[in-house]
């Protein structure tokens, strides 16, 4: 995407990055073909953002420290040193093992940044400055660079120096309290890294927005994304109605989605959301429950809450006597939104997800057989295809260093411990 110009640390060798030819949507290139990304981050949020760009065609180089690499390699189930979460976060990237705390390692990072369009990092505030790879350092070698800096609590403020993981942010942002047990008040975090993943999606959108702004003449810039702010913003949309409308004094809860509860069938669980009047009437008809005309409208159901609760009790009793398959068939016939509660191991057999090859099987050279999802976004004119597994530690170090400094530099840097 960038013009090829000499930087203050020297002209960029031709082999440092893959072809950077600027290509429009011609149908033969992924949407981000030609975009070059340097990933200096660890753990989940920022690396996942870089990984999504890689899946969409960007050439992403991931830099990991020697002696174990990214901590995410060691989280969760693993085979042959490859964890499932690392694979899903870092597939389609190239990887080099470089100690950027050394002078030579920092110089390599700056040399790569000189040719990058986007750099991701998730250092705590002040660390990038001490390492010499902050936005100010990077813009000196590349004025057009976009740096996406992900933090837990933000770049400044009373909590900015605190360490943060997903569970901590779920607690701080209201997620855990929102999921609290109704009877005991015990908070519950969601059983997946929702704050990390939401932050990654915001970081991806911010990076591509900054790329578009640069195309329009805005130049490079620093983009700051805080996990706490992302999570609180996401929750506030539909779980803080009363807190948004400060003059509201009605009876409705702040979180309208809270009424959606699992419903038991004879052989499993399902969810039903009958939001519109037609859907509510259809639900009653599907389960042979008499439609009380006082409840046929949403306003009527709000005005007659006690009666509506009685009808829901009858609906639950009818469902409890039906097999899930029969209940689904009845609801489908009346166009009522519903779904069984599908377990994670059963997702590959889901009729809709298995349609069109959403799950893909492959063989990893170290981890063996592997099943993954394809990227969930489809591009009609610029299809995104990932064809590489998540890299083993330092898999591409020699290729990347040789491209930057020539093949003779590899052995010397390895001997000095700068790369491994």
């Amino acid at each position: 995407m960038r013009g090829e110009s000499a930087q203050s640390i020297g002209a960029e060798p031709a082999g440092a990055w893959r072809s950077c030819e600027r290509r429009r949507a011609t149908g033969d290139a992924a949407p981000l073909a030609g975009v070059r990304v340097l990933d200096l981050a660890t753990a989940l949020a920022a690396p996942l953002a870089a990984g999504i760009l890689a899946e969409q065609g960007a050439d992403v180089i991931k830099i990991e420290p020697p002696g174990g690499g990214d901590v995410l390699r060691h989280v969760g189930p693993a085979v042959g040193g490859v964890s499932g979460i690392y694979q899903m976060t870092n597939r389609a990237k190239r990887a080099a093992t470089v100690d950027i705390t050394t002078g030579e390692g920092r110089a390599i990072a700056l040399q790569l940044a000189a040719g990058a369009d986007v750099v991701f990092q998730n250092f705590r505030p002040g660390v990038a400055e001490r390492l010499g790879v902050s936005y100010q350092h990077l813009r000196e070698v590349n004025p057009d660079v976009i740096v996406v800096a992900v933090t837990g609590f933000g770049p400044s403020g009373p909590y900015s120096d605190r360490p943060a993981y997903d569970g901590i942010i779920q607690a701080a942002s209201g997620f855990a309290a929102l999921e609290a047990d109704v009877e005991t008040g015990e908070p519950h975090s969601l059983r997946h890294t929702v704050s990390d993943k939401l932050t990654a999606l915001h970081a991806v959108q911010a990076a591509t927005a900054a790329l578009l702004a640069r195309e329009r003449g805005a130049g490079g810039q620093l983009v700051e994304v805080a996990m706490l702010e992302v999570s609180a913003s996401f929750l506030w949309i539909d779980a803080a109605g009363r807190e948004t409308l400060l003059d509201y004094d009605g009876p409705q809860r702040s979180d309208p989605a809270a009424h959606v509860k699992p419903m038991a069938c004879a052989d499993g669980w399902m969810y039903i959301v009958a939001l519109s009047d037609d859907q509510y009437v259809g639900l009653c008809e599907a389960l042979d429950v008499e439609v009380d005309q006082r409840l046929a409208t949403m306003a009527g159901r709000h005005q007659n809450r006690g009666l509506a609760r009685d009808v829901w009790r009858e609906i639950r009793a009818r469902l409890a006597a039906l097999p899930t398959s029969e209940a689904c068939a009845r609801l489908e016939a009346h166009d009522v939104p519903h779904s069984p509660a599908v377990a994670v191991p059963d997702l590959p057999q889901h009729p809709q997800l298995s349609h069109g090859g959403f799950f893909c099987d492959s063989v990893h050279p170290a981890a063996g057989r592997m099943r993954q999802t394809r990227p969930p976004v489809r591009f009609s004119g610029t299809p995104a295809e990932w064809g590489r597994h998540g890299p083993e530690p330092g898999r591409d170090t020699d290729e990347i260093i040789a491209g930057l400094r020539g093949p003779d530099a590899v052995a010397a840097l390895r001997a000095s411990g700068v790369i491994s």
Side-chain angles (χ1 to χ4, degrees), residues 163-178:
Y165 289 107
D166 184 273
I168 305 303
I169 299 300
Q170 285 200 44
S173 64
F175 276 21
L178 187 66

Side-chain angles (χ1 to χ4, degrees), residues 10 14 33 83 91 97 115 121 125 157 220 245 262 322 375 392:
S83 70
R91 61 187 184 178
T97 304
Q121 58 99 329
L245 304 172
L322 295 175
E392 302 92 306

Side-chain angles (χ1 to χ4, degrees), residues 1-18:
M1 296 284 288
R2 295 175 51 256
E4 301 299 319
S5 59
Q7 306 295 333
S8 61
I9 60 171
E12 178 188 354
W17 295 86
R18 301 195 190 285

Side-chain angles (χ1 to χ4, degrees), residues 282-300:
L283 170 61
C284 292
E285 292 176 345
L287 298 176
D288 299 323
V289 174
E290 182 179 352
V291 179
D292 190 311
Q293 291 305 307
R294 289 172 292 179
L295 305 177
T297 66
M298 186 175 292

Side-chain angles (χ1 to χ4, degrees), residues 23 45 62 217 253 287:
R23 301 157 80 179
K62 180 178 181 64
R253 293 178 52 138
L287 298 176

Side-chain angles (χ1 to χ4, degrees), residues 232-257:
S233 172
F234 184 80
L235 178 144
W236 200 267
I237 292 169
D238 65 341
R242 300 174 72 95
E243 291 76 15
T244 298
L245 304 172
L246 298 180
D247 293 327
Y248 179 77
D249 59 1
Q252 294 189 47
R253 293 178 52 138
S254 283
D255 48 345

Side-chain angles (χ1 to χ4, degrees), residues 59-140:
D59 182 20
V60 180
I61 292 178
K62 180 178 181 64
I63 299 299
E64 297 179 81
D70 190 336
V71 65
L72 208 63
R73 291 185 179 275
H74 315 290
V75 174
V79 175
V82 179
S83 70
I85 190 172
Y86 182 88
Q87 166 66 21
M88 290 301 301
T89 303
N90 294 283
R91 61 187 184 178
K93 297 180 185 179
R94 293 193 286 160
T97 304
V98 181
D99 185 357
I100 67 172
T101 66
T102 65
E104 282 291 346
R106 172 183 176 273
I108 290 170
L110 291 177
Q111 202 168 356
L112 287 169
D117 296 295
V118 182
V119 177
F120 285 95
Q121 58 99 329
N122 63 341
F123 301 113
R124 281 203 230 178
V127 173
E129 286 76 11
R130 292 198 299 271
L131 291 175
V133 292
S134 68
Y135 173 62
Q136 296 302 325
H137 292 103
L138 300 187
R139 70 182 299 192
E140 289 178 5

